[in-house]
Amino acid sequence: MPMPDDVTTDLLARCREAGFALAGVAPCLPPARPEVLRAWLAAGHHGEMSYLDTNLDALLDPNRVLDGARSVICVADRYHTGLRDRPTPPGFGRIARYARGDDYHRVIKRRLIALCDDLAAAHPDASFRACVDTAPLLEREHAARAGLGAIGKHTLLIERGIGSYLLLGEILTTLDLAPTTSSADANPCGRCTRCLDACPTDAITPFAVDATKCISYLTIEHRGPIDAALHEAIGDWIFGCDICQEVCPHNQPTRRTRRAGTHAAYAPRRSGFDLLEVLGWDEDARRAAFTTSALKRAKLDMMKRNALIAAGNALRRADLPALRARLEAIAADESESDLVRETARTVLRMA
Ligand code: B12
Ligand code: SF4
Ligand code: SF4
């Protein structure tokens, strides 16, 4: 027997007080399409993200994430209104919008833990686990089941009137809460294929992304050299990519989306970096530039690799002697890592 509706109503009010743009409750169920997940992994579309493979049992059974879990309290922060970036000068590298303000893992987790503490005081026999991103949980599917939005062809959760610039978090609990209305069966796309057409690396097939082709994966997760055939498609992105979201009709700014607002913690500090600055970083400079930001996931040599690729793309479009000279110096610098030096040489051969 689920708990009375007013427990859920009170909980959702607390989520809103905690500043979440969206909140809902779903029954804690295994994925509806386990065969899709298995096939995605079997095809190697997760690349080096081996944690997805090694945690397959937990992805297929959320009870392995929290023993006896009956419900998932799902929340979302909105981090961007959809306004376009101002044009940037050649030699500038862009970062994805979710990483332009404070690190969402910390911003969301902190508030979820406070909610867990409140809930544990009111329900001492129940268990709670706060999750943001890193737990083996198909977050978008739980969020759709809790009515926070529906999954688009680019695989991201979209809420009508707000869009997909959302970051998700959950509380798994042994409480049997009354669920909110699911939106898991809604199709937000119809016949639209804009994200598939715009993805520069053809990483998207409807409702699936081959991570090994995705610029987000290549620039943030992949640690080795990036296939030269993909360099040009990476354009000026040096951390993540927003193209499939930029083109989505649900993310185009309207009076309603602008009114919906975003959480203050994600107010952008910058939209990217001058490539010469990144190429001159040492570890201390990287750390200083990345404080409290989700950017810290990329190691120094990965950031330099990404900046070199973006520099190569800039050099093909504009005459930038200082940038070219820097690339030549890096290619000859024995103190740089093999990854950085080799990327500089590859880029110069193509520029
Ligand atoms: C691994 C990962 C990635 C990988 C792989 C992306 C992917 N699409 O899976 C990479 C590094 C590429 C990536 C990139 C990004 N990510 Co990411 N990522 C994750 C992570 C950690 C796990 C995702 C996962 O399990 N993938 C495995 C695949 C197989 O899962 P799936 O696509 O959901 O597969 C299911 C569906 O395909 C479904 N399905 C199959 N057929 C059909 C048919 C229909 C009709 C429907 C509806 C569903 C459906 O069934 C499958 C099996 O259950 C989640 C956090 C989490 N724990 O969930 C964040 C997460 C998905 N990422 C997020 C973000 C913000 C991004 C980026 C936008 C960041 C950026 N700007 O660079 C990009 C977007 C790229 C994109 N288009 O996906 C957010 C998304 C928020 C949202 N609005 O949905 C999440 C939820 C993190 C968070 N806590 O907020 N990410
Ligand atoms: S994030 Fe960029 S590369 Fe990845 S699927 Fe979207 S458009 Fe393609
Ligand atoms: S761009 Fe079109 S197809 Fe892609 S997610 Fe948005 S609505 Fe769906």
Side-chain angles (χ1 to χ4, degrees):
M1 253 301 265
M3 301 182 78
D5 284 351
D6 53 358
V7 177
T8 295
T9 308
D10 177 57
L11 185 60
L12 299 184
R14 287 186 200 203
C15 292
R16 275 192 296 275
E17 275 163 30
F20 291 111
L22 302 169
V25 173
C28 188
L29 299 171
R33 299 172 178 86
E35 70 292 350
V36 176
L37 179 59
R38 287 184 199 279
W40 189 79
L41 291 167
H45 289 163
H46 59 306
E48 292 159 24
M49 298 180 293
S50 53
Y51 63 90
L52 290 167
D53 208 9
T54 47
N55 288 319
L56 177 61
D57 288 347
L59 284 168
L60 294 173
D61 177 10
N63 268 279
R64 289 178 181 252
V65 183
L66 179 76
D67 192 25
R70 305 286 302 271
S71 312
V72 193
I73 303 161
C74 297
V75 295
D77 271 345
R78 184 166 185 250
Y79 61 94
H80 176 61
T81 58
L83 282 178
R84 289 286 166 129
D85 282 338
R86 290 206 197 95
T88 50
F92 186 84
R94 280 203 293 163
I95 56 180
R97 292 174 176 86
Y98 83 92
R100 292 180 183 182
D102 286 351
D103 183 353
Y104 72 99
H105 300 92
R106 283 164 60 170
V107 174
I108 297 179
K109 196 76 168 266
R110 208 176 38 223
R111 287 178 289 151
L112 288 183
I113 288 173
L115 277 168
C116 283
D117 290 347
D118 285 357
L119 287 166
H123 306 278
D125 296 334
S127 312
F128 304 91
R129 177 168 171 188
C131 307
V132 183
D133 196 45
T134 50
L137 211 57
L138 295 167
E139 294 187 310
R140 293 164 288 184
E141 186 164 351
H142 291 290
R145 281 182 180 148
L148 268 55
I151 294 170
K153 287 180 188 168
H154 54 21
T155 76
L156 299 169
L157 187 87
I158 302 171
E159 170 64 343
R160 279 180 200 279
I162 289 193
S164 67
Y165 289 113
L166 300 168
L167 294 162
L168 310 181
E170 306 75 30
I171 297 174
L172 258 63
T173 173
T174 52
L175 291 176
D176 188 8
L177 295 165
T180 43
T181 309
S182 168
S183 41
D185 293 331
N187 178 349
C189 300
R191 291 151 73 130
C192 175
T193 57
R194 280 199 213 175
C195 55
L196 282 87
D197 303 337
C199 174
T201 56
D202 289 329
I204 310 175
T205 45
F207 305 105
V209 166
D210 177 352
T212 64
K213 289 186 185 171
C214 175
I215 295 167
S216 183
Y217 168 84
L218 293 168
T219 54
I220 303 172
E221 305 289 340
H222 176 66
R223 302 202 163 210
I226 294 177
D227 184 351
L230 293 170
H231 282 199
E232 195 166 356
I234 289 172
D236 61 354
W237 294 104
I238 58 166
F239 186 95
C241 167
D242 282 331
I243 293 174
C244 50
Q245 300 198 86
E246 285 173 348
V247 299
C248 180
H250 293 282
N251 284 336
Q252 304 316 309
T254 61
R255 217 180 305 153
R256 188 172 163 199
T257 60
R258 275 201 292 267
R259 254 204 323 263
T262 55
H263 193 283
Y266 308 109
R269 287 182 217 134
R270 51 176 6 121
S271 60
F273 293 93
D274 189 291
L275 297 174
L276 275 171
E277 181 189 340
V278 178
L279 294 174
W281 278 346
D282 59 13
E283 188 49 40
D284 288 343
R286 181 197 76 103
R287 240 185 255 136
F290 288 7
T291 343
T292 73
S293 140
L295 290 163
K296 59 181 177 289
R297 184 146 185 91
K299 306 278 170 261
L300 178 62
D301 62 346
M302 291 164 71
M303 281 310 285
K304 287 193 174 179
R305 172 201 63 190
N306 301 345
L308 286 164
I309 293 170
N313 293 332
L315 288 177
R316 272 193 292 278
R317 279 182 208 97
D319 186 27
L320 302 165
L323 196 55
R324 185 176 289 278
R326 187 81 190 106
L327 262 59
E328 283 163 357
I330 289 173
D333 186 348
E334 295 296 322
S335 70
E336 291 286 0
S337 68
D338 289 350
L339 173 65
V340 172
R341 222 173 39 242
E342 281 310 317
T343 304
R345 288 176 188 163
T346 308
V347 162
L348 282 167
R349 270 198 301 276
M350 299 184 346

